[in-house]
Structure formats: structure tokens, C-alpha cells
């Protein structure tokens, strides 16, 4: 309970004298270590810590008389009490409890214990598979920022957790999300920050790993500057790559980093359609000087002036008018001045290929940026009070022009039945009804659509009607007659539930062969395969995942026909794309399947060749071969690309052909800028020759094509080039003798992971010899 006085004292003993030495002991201090669950605040017993002095040596129990090598374990109250210590000690958590992990960045604490005082150090454990989001003030010494809002989604775009995926940082600037599924990619995006700070709008993604606590850190800059927003005038979406000239009122340039880096006042909007300039004060003039292809600068708003004061941030917005595309407007047929919001359309090419799905905004309109060609729009979801009109609406898009398509909807009046499952509350497809008039005479038979709706219109006589359910596969038929009162011009809604007669689907997942990657033999039960189950109306009704026994089990499903598709394979295996059909025919039935997966191999290839030597100003033709998806699985986002060196200029492209039918597009970049479409909807079975010179593309004298990319999207295993593509180029005439490298690459993704390969070719250029001036003769 006291502190050792370890300082020696010396004394000289003299004959005949009694000598005294005095030593003092100060009462020692105490240390309490507390361990709590981060989520619930409850104490955690059995957590081990190591306690050492900062200058070295263990902090042992009983003031050093009983050695513990500095190791202590929390008691039933989640605490460790150590008495009789003085000095600076380092406390380090060494072993969390099963199911918990150490809070990131808080593994140890350093604390000073003075005589006669008690110090307390608190540690937290968080449940395994927890993601911690940390928000700090940029430029501070890790000062946390509370009250910042984030949106958290998974790789499919579905929100994570309650409150539609929105979370807010606590007083420590933190958000903790426990219980995440290992192998899931989580994306976090800041959606709202505090006044006086700049939103960090760049999302971050992380792969959740088994048994680990992971973290993402975001920073907010203090406001005080200028934010320029660039948006599409029609859709309000941000526009990246738009150029502005920003100057002070006296004409001097507003340069980057407070003038430390010269930009001549030129700026380009980022991926969020923004330009952010901190640390400026004064009257600022912002002028749009160059927009994107397909847009027109609004002459009335191309130049704006704003006053920026110290410690504030001013925001100005510029809009661009689309130069072409589709302007779709949805109106009420009875009153065409009434716009209808929240109507969903699919836009398709004439061959039926889906191009885009759009929804009308609060003004009943939506803009779609489409390439030139013929299309049609189909309504797939109506607004409340209206009936879906599935009539195709045909239209044509011309380059540089906007096509306006006005579609009318007639307000629905009559009887609207919504037939739903009593358990899931989802609509039931294919239920038939008979409608009777007040005299019990049948006047019509109707069947529910994919969403469980029945529209009965054309009723002109007010009064009482009756409805009877005829048949309902997979559900207990409700035989009770329902009475409905109808008024012409009004909608009478009948919500009608049915109790399902259910069965179940079970799938056993096994390996089809020996897997050289993980060493598992054929027939091994596999965990982690994900299946989607669709009903006969093609509605997704369940998603299931195989467990450690290789078993994936559905919920109880109404009797009927179902289609099952594997959408994600276990690690190191390829997806089995064969669809399964299950028939649930009697109550309590279990339909079982055994599905195997082949070992996955992924790979891509490309080989590039060209001239080894060439003279300045002469043709430089590159030939590409071996372009392939050599995987035994399908790849997404498949492409091949060539990066052109500064020593050559592109003249034309020969596309080659490929062994699987489909379509693709070709994009190009100018001076490393944003991709632009050179050609779209090209057939893989046809060999095209495309003009791509500076003249053909309308480039300026200081512009050149720096990249060509062939974009295929989704390709099967074994996809390969047949006829060889070629790029016809020409060496720059003024080039000096040198060697340059041309690089081509190919790639695609499997379950979100990129598979890529690169090929390079070196060409030596012999430049023209410089002429030697003739010197005058001198001497005799």
C-alpha cells in the first residue's frame, strides 16, 4: 500500500556517536481497468490485459510481491483493480472474448498514476464483423465530428440496417454497425454534414472479413470558399468534366491552393459535378467556357458573380441543357395540364433490348440521354389512381436534337381489387374473380396481374355489386361473397387477403470436381452459394444461402410453380447457371435439389503486335490477337483497350469479329479526358472499319485520341476474338529518333473482382536527320 523509496542514503559512522537515517514512504495509488460491450454497455468478464510501466518492467500484483508477468483478467464486473502502484503505465488488451474484437485504434492506453489517487481506464469491445465509421475534422488533431449523416448500402444497392440505411455519428464522431455478413462489400457515403463544413461526397467501400472489426475514416473540411455545382438542366444530375474560368473582379486568376499552384484560373468539375476552392475571399467571377458533348451552354447563365467572405462558403449552380435525347412527359388524359409523377417506364431498342428504366419526377417529366436511333417506351408502373398503360410508345432520336414524347394516362374509376398474401402482404398473381350485379347476375370475370391488382372499369350504374373468388392456386380459397358499393367516376378499393397453403424448397450444394485452389475433393458440401426463387409471375419471393452443411432452405412458400437461379457461387467455384423448376403441389411438401459447382478458373488474354521500326510520318499499324475470356465462368464488364502513345496519331479502326453473338460499343478519350462514344450497338459477328482521324472526330490541332476501348459488358466463358482487330495509326512527322511503348489491356469482373492482362509493344522511330547549314569558307 506504499511506494518503495528506492533512493540510497550514505552516512559516515564516527566513533562514539549514534547516527540516524530517515526514509519516507508515500501511500501508493490505485488503477481500475474497465471492459465494456461497445453496443450495450454491459461489463465483459474474462478479458485479458497486459500492464507494464512505461520505462519498462511488469506491473505485478500485491505491490510486486506476487508476480503475474503483468497479465490480468477482468472479473465478473468487467473490472481489474490494482493497488500500490505509482508512475506511468501502459495498458494493452491482449485477448478479447469469443464473438468480440478489439475496438480499432483503441488496443492500448497510457495513464499516469500519482500517489494517493485512483485512475480509471475504460476499454470497449465490439461484436465481431462490425464496421466502424469515423468522422474527423480535416486539419485537426483527429478532432471528432458528431451529427454527420451517412448512407450505408451493400453491393446490390440494398440499404443496410434500420432507418433506410441512414446513420449519424455520435459524440465521438463514430458509427458502429455490428453483425455484418462476411464476404459482403459495404459502401458508405456521406449524405449530410454540419453547417460550416464541406460534405465529403466520395463514397468508400470495404469487404467485410470474418471475425474482424474494420473501419472507414471520413474527413470534413471547414467551410470558407467557393463551391461551383454543374448539373443537367433536365435531370438535375451532376455533370463531370465541364470547364470553367474563375477570376477575381480585377481580372486576376483564382488559382489552386490559395494561389500556390497556378492553374491560370481554369477548373474542371469532378465526378460529383463540383469545383471546390477553399481559402478565397472577395468578389469572384465564374464563367463556363466548355461543356460536355451532347449539352448546350445556357448563354443567360454562363457567367455568374459571387461575393465570398471570410469563414463562409458560397455555392453557385450552373445548368446545361441537353442537346439531344428524350424528354418524356406524363399527363392526365382528362386534363393535359396535370402532370403525373412517379410513373416508371422501360426504354427499349427496336429489338427489345432494355436501354434504361426511368421514373417521372414531381413535374411529371424525365429526361433520357440516348444515342441516335429508334426506340420505344413501355409503362411498367402507374401512379396512384391510374392504371398501367402497356401500349408501346415509339420515337426516334436524332443527333443533337431533343425528342419530346407526351404520354397520357386516364384516371381509373371502378372497382380496384388488391389480392395479397396474408403473411407477406405481397400481391398474388393469377387469381380469378366473378363480378355480380345487385340481382346476383354474373357480369364479368377478371384475373389479378403480377402485382395482385384487378382493374374493373366501365361501370356506369351506381349501386351494390358482389365479388366471388373462383380459384387461387397455392392459397385457401376465400368463398365468402364480398359486397361492393360503386359510384361512377370514383374508385372503390377492395383489399383482399388469402392464407397460403405452403411447402418448402431445399437445395444441397456440392463441389462437382477436385478444386486445386482449396484442395477440396468432389462431393464436398459447400457453404455460401446464394439462390433466388421466383414465382410463376417472375416475382422474386425468396433469397437463400447454403450453410456449413451445404444446405439452403426456403421459407414456407404458397403451392405453385417456382424457378430457382443460382446468383452467387461459393469462393473458388463458378456459378451454376442452370435454372431449376420446383412444383409445390400439396401442403407440407419439401422439394429437394442437389446442385453442383465446378471449380472456378478465371483468366483473360490479349496479344499486341506492330512494327518494330518505322520512319517519322509513316504508318504504324497495330494488330491484336488472342483477345479472350479464358475463364470457365462468365465475366461482367468485359473490355479490351489500347492506350496510344504521343508519338502516333489514330487514323481508323478495324473492329474484328468475335465467337459469341452480341453487341458492344467503342469509346475513345481525347487528351485523357472523359470517355466519348465512337460507335454503339455493333454486332460481334461483323467486321467494321471506322474512321477515327482527327478530322473525322472534329478534333482541334492540339487534341489527339489517347485511348480506344471496346466495351462488351457481360461475356460467357470461352468468349474470344476471331478476326483480328487493327488500329491504323501514323507516326508524327516531326518526331525525333526514339523508342516508344504502346500498351493494350483486357479485363472483366467475376463477383466484383477484376481479372486483367496487359500486352506491350515497343517501336523504334528513325526521325529525319536535321539539315546541317553550310558554313562559309575561311582562310587561304
Amino acid at each position: 500500500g506504499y511506494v518503495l523509496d528506492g533512493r540510497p542514503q550514505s552516512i559516515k559512522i564516527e566513533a562514539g556517536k549514534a547516527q540516524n537515517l530517515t526514509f519516507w514512504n508515500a501511500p501508493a495509488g490505485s488503477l481500475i481497468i474497465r471492459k465494456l460491450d461497445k453496443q450495450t454497455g454491459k461489463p465483459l468478464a474474462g478479458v485479458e490485459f497486459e500492464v507494464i510501466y512505461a520505462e519498462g518492467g511488469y506491473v505485478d500484483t500485491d505491490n510486486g510481491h506476487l508476480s503475474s508477468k503483468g497479465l490480468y483478467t477482468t472479473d465478473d464486473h468487467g473490472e481489474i483493480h490494482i493497488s500500490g502502484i505509482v508512475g506511468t503505465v501502459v495498458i494493452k488488451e491482449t485477448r478479447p472474448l469469443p464473438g468480440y474484437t478489439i475496438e480499432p485504434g483503441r488496443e492500448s492506453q497510457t495513464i499516469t498514476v500519482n500517489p494517493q489517487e485512483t485512475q480509471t481506464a475504460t476499454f470497449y469491445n465490439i461484436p465481431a464483423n462490425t464496421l466502424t465509421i469515423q468522422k474527423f475534422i480535416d486539419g485537426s488533431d483527429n478532432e471528432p465530428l458528431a451529427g454527420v449523416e451517412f448512407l450505408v448500402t451493400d453491393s446490390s444497392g440494398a440499404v443496410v440496417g434500420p432507418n433506410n440505411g441512414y446513420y449519424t455519428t455520435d459524440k465521438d464522431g463514430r458509427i458502429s454497425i455490428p453483425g455484418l455478413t462476411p464476404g459482403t462489400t459495404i459502401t458508405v457515403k456521406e449524405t449530410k454534414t454540419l453547417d460550416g463544413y464541406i460534405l465529403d461526397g466520395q463514397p468508400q467501400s470495404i469487404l467485410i472479413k470474418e471475425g474482424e472489426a474494420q473501419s472507414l475514416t471520413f474527413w470534413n473540411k471547414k467551410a470558407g470558399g467557393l463551391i461551383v455545382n454543374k448539373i443537367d438542366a433536365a435531370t438535375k444530375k451532376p455533370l463531370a468534366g465541364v470547364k470553367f474560368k474563375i477570376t477575381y473582379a480585377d481580372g486576376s486568376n483564382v488559382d489552386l491552393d490559395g494561389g500556390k499552384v497556378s492553374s491560370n484560373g481554369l477548373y474542371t468539375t469532378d465526378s460529383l459535378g463540383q469545383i471546390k476552392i477553399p481559402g478565397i475571399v472577395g468578389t469572384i467571377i465564374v464563367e463556363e467556357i466548355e461543356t460536355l458533348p451532347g449539352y448546350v451552354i445556357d448563354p443567360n447563365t454562363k457567367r455568374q458573380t459571387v461575393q465570398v467572405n471570410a469563414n463562409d462558403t458560397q455555392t453557385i449552380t450552373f445548368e446545361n441543357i441537353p442537346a439531344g435525347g428524350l424528354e418524356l412527359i406524363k399527363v392526365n388524359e382528362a386534363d393535359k395540364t396535370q402532370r403525373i409523377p412517379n410513373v416508371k417506364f422501360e426504354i427499349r431498342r427496336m429489338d427489345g433490348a432494355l436501354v434504361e428504366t426511368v421514373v417521372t419526377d414531381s413535374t411529371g417529366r424525365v429526361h433520357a440521354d440516348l444515342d441516335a436511333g429508334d426506340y420505344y417506351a413501355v409503362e411498367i408502373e402507374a401512379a396512384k389512381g391510374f392504371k398501367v398503360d402497356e401500349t408501346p410508345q415509339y420515337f426516334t432520336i436524332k443527333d443533337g436534337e431533343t425528342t419530346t414524347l407526351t404520354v397520357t394516362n386516364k384516371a381509373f374509376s371502378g372497382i380496384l381489387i388488391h389480392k395479397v398474401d396474408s403473411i407477406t402482404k405481397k400481391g398474388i398473381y393469377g387469381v380469378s374473380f366473378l363480378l355480380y350485379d345487385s340481382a346476383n347476375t354474373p357480369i364479368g370475370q377478371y384475373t389479378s396481374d403480377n402485382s395482385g391488382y384487378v382493374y374493373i372499369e366501365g361501370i356506369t350504374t351506381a349501386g351494390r355489386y358482389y365479388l366471388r373468388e373462383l380459384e387461387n392456386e397455392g392459397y385457401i380459397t376465400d368463398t365468402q361473397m364480398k359486397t361492393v358499393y360503386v359510384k361512377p367516376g370514383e374508385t372503390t378499393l377492395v383489399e383482399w387477403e388469402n392464407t397460403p397453403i405452403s411447402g418448402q424448397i431445399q437445395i444441397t450444394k456440392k463441389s462437382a470436381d477436385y478444386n486445386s485452389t482449396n484442395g477440396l475433393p468432389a462431393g464436398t458440401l459447400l457453404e455460401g452459394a446464394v439462390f433466388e426463387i421466383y414465382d410463376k409471375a417472375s416475382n422474386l419471393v425468396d433469397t437463400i444461402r447454403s450453410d456449413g452443411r451445404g444446405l439452403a432452405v426456403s421459407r414456407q412458400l404458397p403451392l405453385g410453380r417456382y424457378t430457382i437461379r443460382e446468383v452467387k457461387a461459393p469462393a473458388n467455384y463458378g456459378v451454376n447457371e442452370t435454372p431449376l423448376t420446383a412444383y409445390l403441389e400439396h401442403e407440407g411438401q419439401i422439394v429437394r435439389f442437389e446442385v453442383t459447382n465446378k471449380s472456378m478458373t478465371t483468366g483473360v488474354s490479349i496479344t499486341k503486335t506492330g512494327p518494330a521500326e518505322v520512319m517519322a510520318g509513316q504508318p504504324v499499324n497495330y494488330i491484336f490477337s488472342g483477345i479472350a475470356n479464358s475463364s470457365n465462368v462468365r465475366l461482367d464488364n468485359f473490355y479490351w483497350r489500347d492506350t496510344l502513345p504521343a508519338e502516333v496519331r489514330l487514323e481508323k479502326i478495324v473492329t474484328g469479329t468475335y465467337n459469341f453473338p452480341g453487341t458492344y460499343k467503342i469509346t475513345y478519350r481525347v487528351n485523357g479526358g472523359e470517355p466519348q462514344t465512337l460507335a454503339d450497338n455493333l454486332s460481334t459477328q461483323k467486321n467494321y472499319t471506322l474512321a477515327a482521324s482527327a478530322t473525322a472526330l472534329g478534333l482541334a490541332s492540339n487534341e489527339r485520341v489517347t485511348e480506344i476501348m471496346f466495351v462488351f459488358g457481360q461475356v460467357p466463358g470461352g468468349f474470344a476474338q476471331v478476326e483480328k482487330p487493327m488500329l491504323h495509326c501514323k507516326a508524327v512527322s516531326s518526331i525525333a529518333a526514339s523508342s516508344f511503348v504502346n500498351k493494350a489491356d483486357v479485363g472483366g469482373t467475376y463477383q466484383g473482382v477484376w481479372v486483367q492482362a496487359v500486352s506491350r509493344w515497343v517501336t523504334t522511330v528513325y526521325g529525319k536527320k536535321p539539315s546541317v547549314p553550310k558554313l562559309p569558307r575561311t582562310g587561304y
Side-chain angles (χ1 to χ4, degrees):
Y2 291 86
V3 180
L4 182 73
D5 183 359
R7 295 169 298 175
Q9 297 188 42
S10 300
I11 192 169
K12 183 178 181 181
I13 304 300
E14 297 181 12
K17 291 185 179 180
Q19 305 288 350
N20 294 318
L21 287 175
T22 302
F23 287 77
W24 301 86
N25 281 123
S30 297
L31 174 64
I32 299 174
I33 302 170
R34 302 177 65 226
K35 168 56 70 172
L36 303 175
D37 183 305
K38 180 70 174 177
Q39 303 300 321
T40 65
K42 71 176 183 179
L44 299 178
V47 181
E48 184 184 84
F49 288 82
E50 180 187 61
V51 188
I52 60 174
Y53 288 103
E55 64 272 16
Y58 298 124
V59 174
D60 289 329
T61 58
D62 196 16
N63 200 19
H65 296 299
L66 178 61
S67 174
S68 66
K69 294 187 178 180
L71 297 177
Y72 297 83
T73 304
T74 55
D75 59 19
D76 290 342
H77 301 289
E79 294 184 344
I80 297 168
H81 291 257
I82 309 174
S83 60
I85 61 173
V86 170
T88 300
V89 296
V90 179
I91 311 161
K92 183 178 181 182
E93 183 175 356
T94 59
R95 188 183 67 224
L97 298 179
Y100 286 88
T101 187
I102 299 172
E103 185 178 17
R106 299 297 179 93
E107 296 85 357
S108 65
Q109 295 186 39
T110 301
I111 196 166
T112 299
V113 182
N114 297 313
Q116 306 182 59
E117 74 176 15
T118 298
Q119 294 286 357
T120 301
T122 302
F123 288 76
Y124 293 94
N125 273 165
I126 57 180
N129 305 335
T130 293
L131 174 63
T132 300
I133 303 167
Q134 180 71 65
K135 168 60 73 173
F136 293 119
I137 299 174
D138 194 16
S140 71
D141 187 16
N142 290 347
E143 182 180 351
L145 192 59
V148 180
E149 181 188 82
F150 290 84
L151 175 63
V152 183
T153 58
D154 62 19
S155 56
S156 69
V159 298
V160 174
N163 198 29
N164 289 324
Y166 287 96
Y167 296 83
T168 303
T169 55
D170 61 18
K171 61 183 179 59
D172 296 321
R174 281 200 191 92
I175 296 166
S176 291
I177 308 175
L180 297 173
T181 303
T184 302
T185 298
I186 299 298
T187 299
V188 181
K189 182 178 181 181
E190 183 176 341
T191 54
K192 188 185 298 181
T193 188
L194 304 182
D195 291 337
Y197 294 89
I198 297 176
L199 183 75
D200 182 0
Q202 185 64 40
Q204 297 187 45
S205 297
I206 191 168
L207 178 66
I208 301 302
K209 298 179 181 177
E210 179 69 49
E212 292 187 17
Q214 295 164 278
S215 62
L216 292 173
T217 301
F218 290 77
W219 303 83
N220 274 145
K221 290 183 178 181
K222 288 188 176 180
L226 175 64
I227 299 176
V228 179
N229 286 317
K230 185 63 181 181
I231 61 174
D232 183 305
T235 66
K236 308 304 179 185
K237 292 180 180 179
L239 299 178
V242 180
K243 294 181 181 179
F244 288 82
K245 174 82 170 180
I246 304 179
T247 61
Y248 292 100
D250 61 5
S252 60
N253 294 325
V254 174
D255 286 330
L256 294 169
D257 196 14
K260 297 176 184 177
V261 180
S262 175
S263 65
N264 295 321
L266 299 176
Y267 295 82
T268 303
T269 54
D270 60 18
S271 60
L272 300 175
Q274 292 186 329
I275 298 167
K276 297 179 181 179
I277 310 175
I280 60 172
V281 174
T283 302
I284 309 298
I285 299 172
V286 184
E287 183 176 3
E288 182 178 358
I289 59 174
E290 185 177 333
T291 188
L292 303 178
Y295 286 90
V296 177
I297 296 176
D298 187 347
N300 299 317
T301 60
K302 66 175 293 185
R303 181 183 174 96
Q304 298 187 44
T305 301
V306 62
Q307 180 67 39
V308 180
N309 300 315
N311 298 319
D312 75 359
T313 297
Q314 295 293 331
T315 301
I316 56 175
T317 300
F318 289 76
E319 295 186 351
N320 270 164
I321 304 169
L326 172 67
E327 186 84 359
L328 194 154
I329 302 172
K330 189 69 170 178
V331 298
N332 190 332
E333 182 178 302
D335 179 6
K336 293 185 173 55
T337 62
Q338 180 191 351
R339 302 284 187 90
I340 307 175
N342 302 318
V343 183
K344 184 181 289 188
F345 288 86
E346 287 181 347
I347 299 175
R348 296 181 177 271
R349 293 190 177 94
M350 297 305 291
D351 61 1
L354 178 64
V355 177
E356 191 174 354
T357 300
V358 297
V359 180
T360 57
D361 60 18
S362 58
T363 65
R365 56 163 303 285
V366 64
H367 182 87
D369 188 11
L370 303 173
D371 295 329
D374 294 321
Y375 302 84
Y376 65 91
V378 177
E379 183 178 332
I380 59 173
E381 235 177 75
K384 186 177 181 180
F386 293 84
K387 182 181 178 181
V388 172
D389 182 359
E390 297 179 346
T391 305
Q393 305 288 332
Y394 297 94
F395 60 93
T396 299
I397 299 295
K398 296 180 180 179
D399 282 329
E401 297 182 11
T402 298
T403 298
T404 300
L405 178 64
T406 301
V407 183
T408 61
N409 255 142
K410 185 177 181 180
F412 175 76
S413 64
I415 301 173
L416 176 60
I417 306 171
H418 194 200
K419 172 60 73 170
V420 297
D421 186 302
S422 62
I423 305 299
T424 66
K425 307 303 179 184
K426 292 184 177 180
I428 305 173
Y429 167 77
V431 185
S432 295
F433 300 88
L434 268 181
L435 177 67
Y436 300 82
D437 63 15
S438 58
N440 273 321
T441 302
I443 58 175
Q445 181 172 330
Y446 306 89
T447 304
S448 60
D449 63 16
N450 288 3
S451 301
Y453 284 103
V454 178
Y455 299 89
I456 304 176
E457 51 190 338
I459 299 176
T460 57
T461 303
R464 183 172 57 190
Y465 293 81
Y466 302 100
L467 285 167
R468 181 164 67 89
E469 183 176 319
L470 292 180
E471 56 185 84
N472 193 347
E473 182 185 8
Y475 291 83
I476 299 173
T477 302
D478 186 350
T479 58
Q480 174 144 4
M481 192 89 78
K482 290 192 181 293
T483 303
V484 183
Y485 294 91
V486 177
K487 293 181 180 179
E490 296 183 4
T491 299
T492 302
L493 175 63
V494 179
E495 291 279 1
W496 200 330
E497 293 186 350
N498 276 109
T499 302
I501 307 171
S502 60
Q504 193 179 63
I505 297 170
Q506 295 183 3
I507 301 172
T508 301
K509 170 61 70 172
K510 293 183 178 181
S511 61
D513 53 12
Y514 171 75
N515 191 309
S516 59
T517 302
N518 55 27
L520 296 178
T524 300
L525 297 172
L526 299 177
E527 180 180 6
V530 179
F531 298 88
E532 291 181 345
I533 302 176
Y534 294 85
D535 63 15
K536 61 184 178 182
S538 299
N539 296 314
L540 177 65
V541 295
D542 202 5
T543 300
I544 58 178
R545 183 179 186 272
S546 62
D547 58 19
R549 301 170 297 161
L551 191 63
V553 181
S554 76
R555 63 176 178 84
Q556 292 294 316
L557 298 171
L559 302 186
R561 175 173 55 84
Y562 294 90
T563 301
I564 305 107
R565 294 185 178 90
E566 183 174 335
V567 295
K568 183 179 180 182
N572 304 311
Y573 291 88
V575 170
N576 188 331
E577 297 184 351
T578 304
L580 306 172
T581 302
Y583 294 92
L584 296 177
E585 298 174 317
H586 56 81
E587 186 171 9
Q589 180 184 7
I590 299 176
V591 176
R592 295 180 173 89
F593 296 95
E594 181 177 297
V595 180
T596 60
N597 285 109
K598 292 182 179 179
S599 301
M600 180 190 68
T601 59
T602 57
V604 292
S605 62
I606 188 170
T607 300
K608 175 174 187 169
T609 57
E613 298 177 348
V614 69
M615 292 290 293
Q618 294 300 307
V620 180
N621 297 330
Y622 294 107
I623 302 173
F624 303 85
S625 60
I627 300 169
N629 169 22
S630 54
S631 315
N632 64 356
V633 292
R634 180 187 68 208
L635 292 182
D636 297 323
N637 306 308
F638 188 81
Y639 75 91
W640 73 264
R641 170 174 56 190
D642 187 73
T643 304
L644 293 164
E647 289 81 358
V648 301
R649 297 293 181 266
L650 181 63
E651 297 289 327
K652 65 179 179 180
I653 301 169
V654 177
T655 64
T657 58
Y658 304 85
N659 63 347
F660 279 88
T663 60
Y664 64 97
K665 73 175 180 178
I666 300 176
T667 64
Y668 67 98
R669 294 179 190 263
V670 176
N671 293 1
E674 292 297 314
Q676 302 178 54
T677 299
L678 177 67
D680 199 356
N681 203 29
L682 300 175
S683 171
T684 55
Q685 311 290 290
K686 295 181 180 180
N687 198 357
Y688 301 88
T689 299
L690 306 175
S693 65
T695 302
L697 299 177
L699 304 185
S701 59
N702 61 342
E703 293 180 323
R704 67 180 183 88
V705 175
T706 55
E707 175 188 290
I708 289 293
M709 179 182 284
F710 285 54
V711 182
F712 295 87
Q714 193 178 86
V715 298
F719 177 88
Q721 148 260 316
V722 180
E723 295 179 83
K724 298 176 181 178
M726 294 180 62
L727 295 186
H728 292 260
C729 306
K730 181 181 290 187
V732 176
S733 59
S734 59
I735 190 173
S738 63
S739 293
F740 58 87
V741 178
N742 182 270
K743 184 183 80 170
D745 64 302
V746 62
T749 58
Y750 182 73
Q751 295 190 354
V753 178
W754 278 101
V755 183
Q756 294 175 299
V758 176
S759 178
R760 293 178 173 85
W761 185 263
V762 179
T763 300
T764 300
V765 174
Y766 293 95
K768 297 179 180 178
K769 294 183 179 180
S771 59
V772 178
K774 188 175 182 181
L775 300 176
R777 298 184 64 183
T778 60
Y780 299 97

